[in-house]
Amino acid sequence: MLGFDPAYLLILLIILIVILFICFINLNRKYNQMRKNYEVFMSGEDGKSLEESLLLKIREIHELKKQAQEHERYLKDIQKKMEGSYQKVGIVKYNAFQEMGGQLSFALTLLDENDNGWLLNSMHSQEGCYLYIKEIVNGESELELTQEETESLEKAVFQKSEEIESA
């Protein structure tokens, strides 16, 4: 009376039941895995609650923020102090007097970050050693410089830019 063989309907229903059973097993497995993950997530470390763990982490973050701010202030203080310290050095050894053997004379330049500092020129001879100090302001001297002093000053002034280029 149905117009088709009821065995086909029975086979179709059995296939549908098998597919639904496989889907049920798959969903049940996923549910159990999700439940385990949830329990682990909610249990926290050593039985602590999730809320306690989060509060602890938030306190740690606030503490780290304070430390970072202190370190930033400390670094700014160091940088400010470094501006006035001698950071650039230029030295040139030379033979000031031809009757002396060797290069015992030297011109030494010490500059801070703003190219302010001084230049020390030591000329050595058989009779003695002569020292001259010249003030350097913004990379220049008000007094006339010798060739060796100029070379020493240029080495000091351009030292920082060369270090940056080589890095």
Side-chain angles (χ1 to χ4, degrees):
M1 297 200 175
L2 294 173
F4 58 89
D5 192 7
Y8 291 129
L9 184 62
L10 185 62
I11 292 173
L12 182 66
L13 288 175
I14 290 174
I15 292 173
L16 187 62
I17 289 172
V18 169
I19 291 172
L20 289 174
F21 185 71
I22 292 172
C23 288
F24 172 76
I25 291 173
N26 190 26
L27 284 175
N28 194 25
R29 185 181 52 83
K30 286 183 180 182
Y31 170 75
N32 288 335
Q33 182 65 36
M34 189 184 307
R35 187 174 185 188
K36 286 179 189 176
N37 290 342
Y38 176 77
E39 288 174 3
V40 168
F41 182 71
M42 294 306 284
S43 67
E45 292 180 352
D46 301 331
K48 290 182 183 175
S49 72
L50 178 62
E51 183 178 1
E52 289 173 349
S53 297
L54 288 174
L55 289 175
L56 177 65
K57 295 300 178 191
I58 289 172
R59 276 188 235 120
E60 288 176 1
I61 289 171
H62 286 299
E63 181 129 352
L64 288 173
K65 249 184 176 177
K66 287 179 186 177
Q67 288 177 357
Q69 289 171 347
E70 289 175 20
H71 289 164
E72 189 174 331
R73 281 193 298 270
Y74 180 69
L75 288 174
K76 284 181 181 178
D77 187 43
I78 288 174
Q79 186 175 10
K80 189 175 182 180
K81 289 177 182 178
M82 286 289 295
E83 288 178 5
S85 67
Y86 297 119
Q87 302 173 22
K88 304 175 190 178
V89 178
I91 187 164
V92 174
K93 292 179 73 177
Y94 64 97
N95 189 0
F97 303 102
Q98 296 304 322
E99 73 271 1
M100 285 292 300
Q103 295 183 339
L104 298 176
S105 301
F106 64 89
L108 171 67
T109 304
L110 294 174
L111 301 175
D112 65 8
E113 185 177 289
N114 301 314
D115 294 333
N116 297 322
W118 49 271
L119 188 145
L120 173 69
N121 189 356
S122 172
M123 295 192 298
H124 192 271
S125 71
Q126 289 180 346
E127 292 86 33
C129 182
Y130 306 98
L131 290 174
Y132 300 97
I133 295 179
K134 297 179 182 178
E135 185 179 15
I136 306 297
V137 177
N138 294 324
E140 297 179 2
S141 172
E142 290 184 11
L143 302 173
E144 188 175 338
L145 299 177
T146 66
Q147 178 185 351
E148 293 83 7
E149 291 172 337
T150 303
E151 188 178 341
S152 173
L153 178 60
E154 287 175 357
K155 280 185 177 183
V157 168
F158 296 114
Q159 181 179 25
K160 194 167 192 175
S161 61
E162 290 174 3
E163 289 175 358
I164 292 171
E165 289 174 4
S166 65

